[in-house]
Amino acid sequence: MDTIYVHVRHWLFWYGVYGLCAKSCNDEVTLYSDKDKTKFLGHFDLLAEPCLIYSLNNELDKVEDKEYFDEMEEFLSGNKDISYSYIYPRDNRDISSQVDHYAPLNDKGHKPIYIYMWSKLSKGWDVNEIEKSVKILASYFLHMNIDRVEILEIPTYEETKLSYEEDYAPYI
C-alpha cells in the first residue's frame, strides 16, 4: 500500500493549522486504506511533549495514577523521541475491543484497546507532523511502508473560523 488516509478527529487541530490559536498538542487520528473510510486500519491518540508536561503538572495524580505518571515522567526525562502507552482490556467487555493490528500483548495475552503515541518530535501538530507520525505508526503497528498520507475532510479556512467563533470566541 502506498497511501493511508487519515481523519483528524478534533476541530482544535484545524484551529491551530489555520492560526486561530496555538497548534494542538493532542489529537486523535483514524487511519483507513481507502478514501471512503470503509477499510478501517486503526486509531491512535498523538500527544506532543507540551501536552505530556501539562498532564503531569495539572491532570494526573502522582499517587492515584502512579504507573501512568511514572511512565510519562520516564519518557520525558529519557532520550527516546517516541514512545507508546497502551490501555489494555480492563474487564471481559473490553476484550472484544482489542486492536486488530500488531500491538504488544500484556501479561494476560491481550492486545491494547487504545494506543497513545508520545512524541518529542514536535511541540504541536500541523499537517506535516501528522503525516510523519502516521508513517511511523503505519510502519510499527501495521507493518506497512507507505509513501503518502492523505488527510481527509480538510475544512476550509472559512468553515474553521466559523466553528472557532462558535466554540471558543464566547469564552475569550
Side-chain angles (χ1 to χ4, degrees):
M1 169 178 297
D2 55 0
T3 302
I4 282 190
Y5 300 90
V6 179
H7 176 256
V8 180
R9 181 173 176 191
H10 302 290
W11 274 100
L12 190 56
F13 171 75
W14 297 110
Y15 300 159
V17 165
Y18 285 117
L20 300 171
C21 64
K23 288 181 182 178
S24 171
C25 59
N26 177 8
D27 281 293
E28 292 178 82
V29 295
T30 305
L31 311 182
Y32 300 93
S33 64
D34 67 323
K35 276 187 176 186
D36 297 326
K37 301 192 307 188
T38 60
K39 296 177 182 158
F40 172 79
L41 296 173
H43 55 265
F44 301 88
D45 200 345
L46 310 177
L47 294 92
E49 189 173 17
C51 179
L52 299 171
I53 292 168
Y54 181 86
S55 292
L56 280 178
N57 295 331
N58 300 291
E59 294 176 344
L60 296 176
D61 182 295
K62 194 171 188 171
V63 175
E64 194 173 304
D65 304 309
K66 182 173 178 23
E67 187 177 327
Y68 191 64
F69 187 96
D70 291 347
E71 186 182 353
M72 193 178 291
E73 200 171 52
E74 183 179 322
F75 169 69
L76 289 170
S77 64
N79 294 329
K80 290 182 181 177
D81 288 332
I82 294 173
S83 189
Y84 303 99
S85 180
Y86 308 97
I87 296 176
Y88 287 95
R90 296 161 288 215
D91 55 36
N92 286 337
R93 290 178 300 201
D94 281 350
I95 290 176
S96 64
S97 298
Q98 295 176 79
V99 298
D100 293 331
H101 51 74
Y102 164 78
L105 303 177
N106 68 3
D107 58 351
K108 296 176 184 169
H110 297 133
K111 288 183 176 184
I113 58 172
Y114 203 78
I115 300 173
Y116 297 93
M117 177 184 188
W118 296 346
S119 175
K120 294 179 192 171
L121 299 175
S122 174
K123 299 293 182 199
W125 302 116
D126 60 24
V127 172
N128 290 331
E129 293 301 326
I130 293 286
E131 289 176 357
K132 280 194 273 186
S133 295
V134 165
K135 286 181 179 183
I136 292 167
L137 291 167
S139 176
Y140 187 73
F141 291 103
L142 305 174
H143 298 142
M144 300 168 78
N145 221 352
I146 58 169
D147 300 319
R148 206 168 81 94
V149 173
E150 185 175 324
I151 304 215
L152 301 171
E153 300 172 18
I154 298 173
T156 65
Y157 174 80
E158 292 76 21
E159 291 169 319
T160 305
K161 188 170 187 254
L162 179 62
S163 176
Y164 177 80
E165 289 170 351
E166 290 173 358
D167 290 348
Y168 288 95
Y171 306 104
I172 296 176

